[in-house]
Amino acid sequence: MEKLFKLEEKGTTVGREIVAGITTFLAMAYILAVNPGMLGSIGNGMTFGSVFTATAIASAVATLVMAFWANLPVALAPGMGLNAFFTYTVCFGMGCSWQLALTAVLIEGLIFILLSVFGIREKIINAIPAGMKKAVAVGIGLFIALIGLANAGIVSSETGTIIGFVNFNMAAKPAVVAMIGLIITVVLYLLNVPGAILLAIIATTIIGIPFGVTTIPEGWKPFSLPEAPLLFKFEWAGILSVKFFVIMFTFLFTDLFDTIGTLMGVTQQANLVDEEGNIPNAKAALMSDSIGTVVGACLGTSTVTSFVESSSGVAAGGRTGLTSVTTGVLFLLALFMTPLFALIPSAATAPALIFVGFLMMKQVADIDWQDPTEGIPAFITIIAMPFAYSISKGICLGMIAYVIAKCAGKKIKDIPVATWVLAVIFIADLIFEAVK
């Protein structure tokens, strides 16, 4: 175990890694309900059960590849946003079959494998300046905190303002339970209780029972057999069309920078990066989501990507691939224990996401705010992620702002060639998005 994961070198233990892996799984287990529910609504042969099986297996495979190849505490699953694009834009909006959408996901994954083999994706990560990498981590912290607040119903757009806190009365039971869970999380953390976040999730789930937030169905059984996935259901007839290219490019671009942003944020939080802010084993980490995406497409689910909820496991002490092994195994077990994991409400996992926002906010102090050419792009990156509800959009706007700020500040020499290339690509993507 020590030789494989280098636990002592990373300053961690087997017990701590297992707790971290369980914490990550609980924080992202919602994908096992949300993804099948979303893709299953397409119908025409795509069912909740088949997508559930595909989601669990693809997540497990990608996460285990991350564990044993990259030795990083990062879990993967079909990405939120990408599954919505798959369902509501490609299938419902553009009228494409889910088979054609899966074909676009497959080709995207194969392209990513090639980009990863030749180190192109790794070079993109290294082209992002050190200060911007820290800004990405902070922005992701705010982004997942907002996800937690929204999942629990603590914030809403129905408060008479753009967004606001709900009234904490018994009509907002999930919000009340989540706030209790957040208090428990903070208290356990300040008391240095091992596995504080995981214990808080379990406690909040139990507290949710009398509130009616955690519901136990009549005749409930913790075990069930999985439904067979949709194997190799591809449609090749329309792959040379402009429509198909637009679909595939959108999957490709969004997944690329969601993954890069997540890897940078989580590894920064875990203090696993080198002095220049580069991610260890970046090529292997990027190959993990490429392989996961190909496997997922073959099984019948949307693009697999690194999950920002991995930061909850890092907050619980995860530092190595053993964390990911634990999460991957739980995804496989979930195939047979769907009802058990379905008991955990989003109000119980929301406090973990909110609290991780605090932990990731710490890196804001390492940004050079005295230099406007560093501070302004960092600020734009940080605010864009939660407000645009997109990690990739935050990176996109931040990098464009970085080049503009350095040029205006007469510090053009500070801009690496690769950063110029990224900025041009991002500008082209914004134009493409505006006219498509």
Side-chain angles (χ1 to χ4, degrees):
M1 195 76 72
E2 171 62 36
K3 185 177 180 180
L4 184 60
F5 296 111
K6 302 177 182 178
L7 302 177
E8 187 175 343
E9 178 185 321
K10 304 294 183 181
T12 186
T13 64
V14 172
R16 189 181 300 163
E17 294 290 300
I18 291 174
V19 167
I22 296 172
T23 301
T24 293
F25 176 78
L26 293 180
M28 62 187 290
Y30 68 85
I31 197 65
L32 291 171
V34 174
N35 197 56
M38 193 177 295
L39 270 64
S41 67
I42 298 171
N44 298 320
M46 182 169 273
T47 65
F48 181 97
S50 64
V51 179
F52 178 91
T53 302
T55 300
I57 294 176
S59 301
V61 170
T63 302
L64 290 172
V65 172
M66 178 72 76
F68 291 110
W69 195 357
N71 192 24
L72 290 174
V74 178
L76 302 93
M80 293 297 293
L82 288 162
N83 53 9
F85 176 74
F86 184 107
T87 303
Y88 301 115
T89 300
V90 178
C91 293
F92 291 157
M94 302 175 72
C96 298
S97 67
W98 55 263
Q99 292 91 337
L100 184 66
L102 285 177
T103 307
V105 173
L106 173 69
I107 294 176
E108 173 224 337
L110 293 173
I111 291 173
F112 270 165
I113 288 177
L114 291 175
L115 293 177
S116 300
V117 167
F118 291 105
I120 295 174
R121 296 174 79 187
E122 189 176 359
K123 289 177 181 177
I124 292 174
I125 293 178
N126 294 337
I128 299 175
M132 289 292 291
K133 288 176 181 175
K134 296 184 184 300
V136 167
V138 176
I140 288 175
L142 292 177
F143 176 63
I144 62 174
L146 179 59
I147 291 175
L149 290 167
N151 285 352
I154 295 175
V155 299
S156 172
S157 59
E158 299 177 0
T159 57
T161 57
I162 296 175
I163 190 170
F165 275 68
V166 300
N167 293 321
F168 293 101
N169 51 40
M170 293 311 293
K173 292 180 181 179
V176 172
V177 170
M179 289 302 293
I180 294 172
L182 182 59
I183 293 170
I184 293 172
T185 304
V186 171
V187 171
L188 293 178
Y189 179 81
L190 292 176
L191 291 175
N192 295 315
V193 176
I197 294 177
L198 173 59
L199 292 175
I201 291 174
I202 296 172
T204 308
T205 300
I206 296 171
I207 291 170
I209 296 175
F211 281 86
V213 173
T214 303
T215 57
I216 303 177
E218 186 177 346
W220 177 81
K221 295 180 181 180
F223 304 104
S224 63
L225 292 175
E227 184 177 323
L230 300 166
L231 293 173
F232 307 109
K233 300 294 184 179
F234 301 119
E235 182 179 308
W236 302 101
I239 64 171
L240 298 179
S241 66
V242 174
K243 179 188 289 188
F244 182 84
F245 174 80
V246 171
I247 294 168
M248 191 272 295
F249 178 82
T250 303
F251 277 131
L252 185 77
F253 192 85
T254 304
D255 185 23
L256 173 63
F257 290 100
D258 269 359
T259 297
I260 287 175
T262 299
L263 286 174
M264 287 195 301
V266 173
T267 52
Q268 287 270 358
Q269 181 194 355
N271 197 28
L272 296 174
V273 296
D274 61 22
E275 294 179 355
E276 297 179 356
N278 295 324
I279 301 169
N281 303 321
K283 181 180 291 188
L286 294 167
M287 280 293 290
S288 301
D289 84 60
S290 303
I291 293 170
T293 293
V294 171
V295 171
C298 292
L299 293 172
T301 187
S302 53
T303 304
V304 172
T305 187
S306 300
F307 254 58
V308 72
E309 284 82 357
S310 302
S311 54
S312 62
V314 169
R319 294 295 180 274
T320 75
L322 185 54
T323 293
S324 299
V325 169
T326 305
T327 305
V329 169
L330 286 174
F331 269 118
L332 292 176
L333 291 177
L335 284 168
F336 306 95
M337 296 191 295
T338 307
L340 180 63
F341 291 113
L343 288 180
I344 302 170
S346 58
T349 56
L353 302 181
I354 297 167
F355 188 70
V356 166
F358 152 71
L359 296 174
M360 298 185 75
M361 180 61 69
K362 295 176 183 178
Q363 298 187 59
V364 76
D366 297 327
I367 298 171
D368 186 5
W369 297 106
Q370 299 303 314
D371 181 355
T373 66
E374 292 284 336
I376 291 173
F379 171 71
I380 291 173
T381 301
I382 291 169
I383 65 169
M385 288 188 185
F387 294 157
Y389 213 72
S390 169
I391 294 173
S392 59
K393 191 70 70 179
I395 296 174
C396 172
L397 297 177
M399 290 298 289
I400 293 172
Y402 183 86
V403 170
I404 293 173
K406 288 295 182 182
C407 289
K410 300 178 181 179
K411 295 185 177 181
I412 296 179
K413 292 182 179 180
D414 291 353
I415 308 174
V417 173
T419 303
W420 276 106
V421 173
L422 278 183
V424 171
I425 292 173
F426 286 138
I427 292 171
D429 178 67
L430 289 178
I431 296 172
F432 175 77
E433 188 176 284
V435 301
K436 72 179 179 181

